[in-house]
Amino acid sequence: VVNLPLIDDVLMARIGGQVFERDGFTTDVVTGKDYDDKNYWTARLGVLWQPTERISNYLLANFSDSDTNGTATVIERVNRTGLNRAIPGALGLTLPSLPLVDPAQSANSGCLLLNAFGPSTNCGQDIIDEQAARGNRSVQLSGDPNDQLNSDTFVDNFSFDLTDSITLRNILSYSTLVHSYRWDLDGSRAAFNEFINPDGVNNSDVRTITEELQLQGEALEGALNYVVGAYYEETDADGRIIAKSLLFVDVEQGYKQHKESFAPFAQASYDLGHLTTSLAGLNLTLGVRYTDDLTEGSAFIKQVASGGFTLVDKSFVTEVETTALTYTAGLDYKFENLMLYGKVSRGYKTGGLSTIAANPQHYTYEPEFVVNYEIGQKADFALGDIPVRLNTALYYTDYTDMQTAAPDAYVDPDNPSPVPQLGQSIFNVGEATVAGLEMDLTVQLSPGLTVVATYGYTDAKYNRFDLDYFGATPQLDCSGQEKSRGDSLELTCLPFKTTPEHQYSLSLRYLLPVAQHWGDIEGSVTYAWVDEQYSAQISPPEAEPGAWLPDFGLVNTSISWSRILDSAFSAQIYGTNLANKEYRISNSNQWNLTYFQSSIYSEPRNIGLQLSYDFGQ
């Protein structure tokens, strides 16, 4: 980082940059590629212009580029029953049920295809056994993974003090994001499900312009602080995905999308002590926002079986406009080193387009709404001579019209073929509540020793989760029964997704009491623990192997020495995951879609040394 005072107190610039390279920790036993590597650069330029005391303009530009070998996945098991069912199901065939005989399993069509295209000799068991023998840091992938991400952002923040108490502020931004990746989702040599975009074909290319105009001010002798304004956003996005699915199906899908959002807003905070001294320290905050979102776009999806048999070939053009009134209201009370607060707010997630939907009724989906209630406190106090800081919060969140992704299938009534068109859509499925507690505690036991503890508890559940099912093969729901395409799934019993019930951390920091000319020497150690969490979207645990991700606890540590011997040098030795724990951080959740289960595993122990030099000292 370099600071440049171009014109004293008028024009200043800051230039920063970083280059980061790290080898991966998972190796392909055939190609020798190392997955889970890091390789990126980023640069930042900031220019501050202050021509007068009342006018300020800050222009910020960020650039970043990442090019890696992608993420390794590890195959765990194969759903042979589902695979055998899927082949006749994908062809629109319903095999008659016979006593004590499952025709789909007797035909063994899925296993025959896996043996031929896997390749495998025993319906994938050899693939599973070979991977288990290698361990999770060595894989054999067929999708030639990579991941390229480029983003540029420009933000201009203009401020003009119209008076001593009123400021006009304008924030204008332009950003781009281009992402291209190949990903072997099943983590094996078999092409159950893999994204195989060739170089130069972007999975997503997004360009966004935002404009926000604000009038900020204070009135009533400083008791009232307010902001009124309007926000506008325009986004253009397009992308293509080329994939291989179910061993012999070639998939191509693409989309173009244009979105405009306009939202006027106002918020004010009023010190009620202005009315009467008995209310001194009590503040009322009210805010409201009206959002109008328009999304329009087109999409196509093609699925072709080996040999040129077309399974799906369709496209559509559609649009959806959604509006919402959202708000926040809160009270906070400040007394010396204590603050108590309570607030309620309503949020909104816009409706949109399902770019790979098969059923025309599922091309669009409706908004999701949430109302959140929160009370809490922030306090600084002392236990004897020991300074303490305690922050706590209780919250209750109520979701309606929840959005979730699920399989989508459609048999065109105007087409004589019984073959269903397969895709995926976003559905509005029901209601949920999430309640919890968050707290953090900081205790300075001595001038050099500080203890920091955090804890979070979450109680999350679905109150209603009903999904019209359009998958290719039967799906288990909370009734314990398998439901077929066209049935409604009752999924209220599902664990709430990606929400651990408990999580906590404990940190110790110690600043050595050395003479000033030695510099600052500080050591720290942190233990952080996260409870198990559920990862599947529409499958109960008994129908989705691996959907529960395990709890884990990590020990991280560092020793830093700043201004070494009164010089401009600083150093830090750090270690993460010191116990070198290996645990699953992601599950494929494809057991009933493309009939396998695979996992992504955590980073191993990392030990590092970081050196820095301050040229301005």
Side-chain angles (χ1 to χ4, degrees):
V1 177
V2 178
N3 293 300
L4 301 173
L6 302 176
I7 302 176
D8 287 347
D9 299 324
V10 175
L11 187 63
M12 292 152 276
R14 167 177 281 197
I15 302 172
Q18 182 182 39
V19 176
F20 191 101
E21 293 188 18
R22 190 201 70 190
D23 291 343
F25 50 79
T26 311
T27 304
D28 194 301
V29 296
V30 174
T31 65
K33 287 179 64 174
D34 61 323
Y35 304 117
D36 304 300
D37 60 323
K38 289 185 179 181
N39 180 23
Y40 68 84
W41 64 262
T42 182
R44 175 174 176 165
L45 169 66
V47 178
L48 176 62
W49 180 49
Q50 296 175 316
T52 72
E53 291 184 354
R54 292 188 176 273
I55 296 177
S56 175
N57 192 89
Y58 183 58
L59 176 64
L60 176 67
N62 278 306
F63 311 92
S64 65
D65 186 89
S66 173
D67 187 352
T68 72
N69 293 331
T71 301
T73 46
V74 178
I75 193 163
E76 310 277 3
R77 65 192 85 187
V78 175
N79 183 357
R80 299 174 182 85
T81 300
L83 192 61
N84 282 328
R85 284 178 170 181
I87 303 307
L91 298 177
L93 303 178
T94 302
L95 301 179
S97 298
L98 300 174
L100 304 178
V101 176
D102 185 340
Q105 304 310 314
S106 299
N108 210 32
S109 52
C111 283
L112 292 175
L113 281 169
L114 178 53
N115 288 342
F117 290 90
S120 173
T121 58
N122 51 6
C123 201
Q125 189 58 49
D126 52 346
I127 298 175
I128 302 300
D129 292 342
E130 291 167 8
Q131 178 57 59
R134 282 193 295 263
N136 298 323
R137 303 305 188 191
S138 298
V139 294
Q140 181 184 356
L141 306 184
S142 60
D144 188 27
N146 79 335
D147 197 309
Q148 298 177 335
L149 181 66
N150 176 272
S151 65
D152 300 326
T153 303
F154 303 87
V155 182
D156 186 78
N157 193 328
F158 173 78
S159 179
F160 181 21
D161 293 335
L162 301 176
T163 70
D164 291 341
S165 58
I166 300 177
T167 299
L168 181 69
R169 188 180 182 193
N170 190 78
I171 306 170
L172 175 66
S173 77
Y174 174 74
S175 62
T176 65
L177 186 147
V178 180
H179 193 191
S180 176
Y181 62 86
R182 292 190 291 268
W183 189 16
D184 190 331
L185 188 59
D186 55 89
S188 77
R189 65 170 180 262
F192 287 100
N193 193 354
E194 52 194 43
F195 302 98
I196 55 174
N197 277 30
D199 292 341
V201 177
N202 298 320
N203 301 75
S204 59
D205 186 347
V206 184
R207 301 156 301 282
T208 300
I209 296 175
T210 69
E211 160 65 21
E212 182 172 347
L213 183 64
Q214 300 178 359
L215 189 67
Q216 302 175 345
E218 61 178 43
L220 303 178
E221 300 174 326
L224 177 67
N225 291 277
Y226 63 87
V227 56
V228 295
Y231 174 83
Y232 176 77
E233 178 179 318
E234 182 175 323
T235 298
D236 288 287
D238 59 79
R240 287 173 62 198
I241 292 177
I242 300 173
K244 178 77 73 172
S245 181
L246 282 177
L247 307 170
F248 70 103
V249 179
D250 294 308
V251 180
E252 182 179 4
Q253 59 198 48
Y255 72 95
K256 291 182 179 293
Q257 186 169 285
H258 176 80
K259 179 180 177 181
E260 295 183 28
S261 180
F262 177 70
F265 61 87
Q267 182 164 313
S269 180
Y270 180 56
D271 182 357
L272 297 177
H274 184 259
L275 297 176
T276 172
T277 56
S278 62
L279 296 178
L282 184 61
N283 295 281
L284 172 66
T285 299
L286 298 173
V288 64
R289 176 187 179 111
Y290 179 79
T291 305
D292 188 328
D293 289 318
L294 173 65
T295 304
E296 54 190 4
S298 62
F300 72 87
I301 179 171
K302 297 179 181 179
Q303 297 177 1
V304 179
S306 296
F309 179 66
T310 299
L311 300 175
V312 181
D313 187 359
K314 68 184 311 176
S315 61
F316 67 86
V317 178
T318 190
E319 68 176 43
V320 58
E321 184 173 11
T322 60
T323 60
L325 183 70
T326 54
Y327 58 80
T328 185
L331 285 169
D332 64 79
Y333 177 70
K334 297 177 182 177
F335 177 74
E336 295 183 351
N337 294 325
L338 171 68
M339 185 180 79
L340 304 174
Y341 70 91
K343 64 180 180 179
V344 57
S345 56
R346 184 181 194 237
Y348 151 84
K349 184 190 293 184
T350 180
L353 311 182
S354 294
T355 57
I356 57 172
N359 190 327
Q361 296 182 5
H362 304 152
Y363 289 162
T364 63
Y365 54 92
E366 296 301 310
E368 174 183 287
F369 294 91
V370 61
V371 178
N372 183 68
Y373 307 86
E374 182 176 341
I375 59 174
Q377 61 80 220
K378 301 177 184 294
D380 290 329
F381 56 95
L383 295 175
D385 296 329
I386 300 176
V388 178
R389 171 172 292 171
L390 176 64
N391 302 324
T392 59
L394 289 168
Y395 62 88
Y396 179 87
T397 306
D398 189 8
Y399 289 89
T400 57
D401 296 324
M402 289 186 310
Q403 299 170 359
T404 194
D408 189 32
Y410 179 65
V411 178
D412 190 341
D414 298 324
N415 191 326
S417 171
V419 176
Q421 302 171 357
L422 302 177
Q424 191 173 59
S425 185
I426 304 294
F427 296 87
N428 297 93
V429 297
E431 303 170 353
T433 54
V434 180
L437 162 71
E438 294 178 346
M439 64 170 292
D440 62 82
L441 174 69
T442 303
V443 181
Q444 189 165 350
L445 295 176
S446 69
L449 179 61
T450 302
V451 179
V452 179
T454 68
Y455 174 71
Y457 169 76
T458 307
D459 179 19
K461 61 182 179 180
Y462 296 107
N463 299 323
R464 181 175 62 83
F465 193 157
D466 299 320
L467 172 66
D468 292 332
Y469 181 60
F470 295 96
T473 56
Q475 167 73 47
L476 193 70
D477 73 355
C478 294
S479 69
Q481 304 295 316
E482 285 189 334
K483 303 295 182 65
S484 300
R485 184 168 62 243
D487 292 337
S488 178
L489 301 180
E490 202 288 300
L491 298 170
T492 307
C493 69
L494 260 64
F496 209 80
K497 186 181 177 186
T498 60
T499 306
E501 185 176 11
H502 301 277
Q503 47 190 325
Y504 64 84
S505 68
L506 180 65
S507 299
L508 298 176
R509 299 198 305 265
Y510 184 65
L511 181 65
L512 268 64
V514 297
Q516 184 176 356
H517 72 272
W518 280 82
D520 295 327
I521 304 174
E522 184 177 62
S524 69
V525 60
T526 298
Y527 178 76
W529 185 87
V530 179
D531 209 346
E532 64 179 354
Q533 50 190 304
Y534 196 68
S535 62
Q537 287 184 307
I538 64 167
S539 300
E542 57 268 31
E544 193 68 67
W548 276 110
L549 301 177
D551 60 73
F552 60 92
L554 299 180
V555 178
N556 303 323
T557 190
S558 70
I559 300 175
S560 61
W561 190 357
S562 302
R563 299 179 293 106
I564 299 174
L565 300 178
D566 211 19
S567 72
F569 284 100
S570 296
Q572 182 187 46
I573 299 174
Y574 62 89
T576 61
N577 189 11
L578 286 185
N580 201 29
K581 289 192 174 182
E582 185 178 278
Y583 55 95
R584 297 171 56 246
I585 61 172
S586 179
N587 190 63
S588 54
N589 298 314
Q590 295 284 312
W591 192 251
N592 300 295
L593 294 175
T594 43
Y595 312 105
F596 65 89
Q597 186 244 324
S598 66
S599 302
I600 299 174
Y601 282 83
S602 61
E603 290 192 1
R605 176 174 49 229
N606 271 288
I607 304 294
L609 170 65
Q610 180 173 294
L611 302 175
S612 63
Y613 183 85
D614 185 354
F615 291 93
Q617 183 168 324

